[in-house]
Each structure stands twice: as C-alpha cells, then as structure tokens.
Amino acid sequence: MAFTNPSRDEIKRILEETTTIAVVGLSDKPDRTSYMVSEAMKAKGYRIIPVNPNASEILGETSYASLKDIPFPIDAVNVFRRSEHTPPVAEEAAEIGAKTLWLQLGIYNDEVAAIAERAGMQLIMDRCIKVEDSILLPHGKTNS
C-alpha cells in the first residue's frame, strides 16, 4: 500500500499540538534552508532543538549530536537529510517516542513509512513544515 500524507485537517491538528521540534540536519549557517525554516518556526512559537554533531548551539539552543542525546521529550522530528539517510533517523525518532516524524520537501522513503507505521508515529513526507504552518496556522499557534 502506497504512503499517503495525512489530510490538511490532520496536519493542522499535528501542528497545533506540537510545541518542541527536534531538527535533524539543522545547519548553523543562516543561508541554509534548514536554518531559515527553523528560524521561522521558532518565530512562530515552536521550540526548535538542533540535532547537528558539528555545532554546539544554533538559534540560541544547545545542539545535540543525536536525537537520543536530547534529555527531554520531543513532539516532532523535522528532517533535513537526504532520503537514503532517513531510516536511521526514523528508528531513533521511534526510540525517543516522538509523536510525529516530518521529512522536508523532496525527502521521501518507503522504509521510513514502514518504521513510522510500526512505531505508531504520525508521518509527513515531502512537505515543508514552514509552508504547511503558514497555510494552516497563518496567525500563529493558538496554544502558545
């Protein structure tokens, strides 16, 4: 069975219920898409947790080498890695109990879909979290 992203109403609910987002592949370079998207999401009221082993801090938050190193619960994991590198990220997201796994625009992996399904995680692939948030919650989060 082919993977289908959740409905727009379901994505809106996910975003409304999400407060803390770990961003795998978040660059510390302001000209990178991962930085710009994460900066915009932080401005909208989300707590952004960088996952980048090559940085100590990004966007004012401590950067962690892996999802398993984060010492508090994460609602969603947003991934800026090439599709072929996403299955281990999905496994780690499942291990830490993330509710949602979000693969950014252009990122799609059938193995990740199977991992997310087994773990009971919501999965969104090949969509930009910033674009979806801007469309579905244009006036910001109601629960922040």
Side-chain angles (χ1 to χ4, degrees):
M1 184 172 172
F3 172 80
T4 304
N5 276 316
S7 70
R8 276 285 169 79
D9 286 341
E10 183 66 11
I11 292 173
K12 181 178 181 182
R13 184 195 62 72
I14 290 167
L15 290 168
E16 287 172 337
E17 293 176 1
T18 295
T19 57
T20 306
I21 304 171
V23 183
V24 176
L26 175 51
S27 175
D28 58 355
K29 296 174 178 68
D31 63 333
R32 291 289 185 84
T33 302
S34 63
Y35 187 98
M36 291 184 275
V37 167
S38 297
E39 184 178 47
M41 295 301 286
K42 182 175 180 165
K44 290 281 298 268
Y46 298 92
R47 182 175 182 197
I48 301 299
I49 307 302
V51 179
N52 179 336
N54 302 312
S56 59
E57 185 180 288
I58 304 172
L59 293 170
E61 291 278 354
T62 299
S63 183
Y64 296 91
S66 73
L67 291 171
K68 289 187 270 189
D69 293 329
I70 301 171
F72 45 82
I74 296 297
D75 296 316
V77 175
N78 186 20
V79 184
F80 285 90
R81 299 283 318 273
R82 290 196 332 236
S83 297
E84 64 268 24
H85 298 296
T86 55
V89 176
E91 294 284 2
E92 240 186 71
E95 286 176 38
I96 68 163
K99 297 174 197 149
T100 303
L101 180 61
W102 193 302
L103 305 187
Q104 278 295 128
L105 197 59
I107 307 170
Y108 186 95
N109 187 299
D110 288 325
E111 186 180 347
V112 166
I115 292 166
E117 185 176 349
R118 279 194 308 271
M121 271 188 300
Q122 290 280 350
L123 175 62
I124 299 156
M125 294 196 284
D126 192 26
R127 295 265 179 98
C128 177
I129 195 168
K130 177 184 174 288
V131 170
E132 295 297 317
D133 184 78
S134 296
I135 292 168
L136 299 171
L137 301 175
H139 305 294
K141 292 176 57 61
T142 56
N143 62 351
S144 58

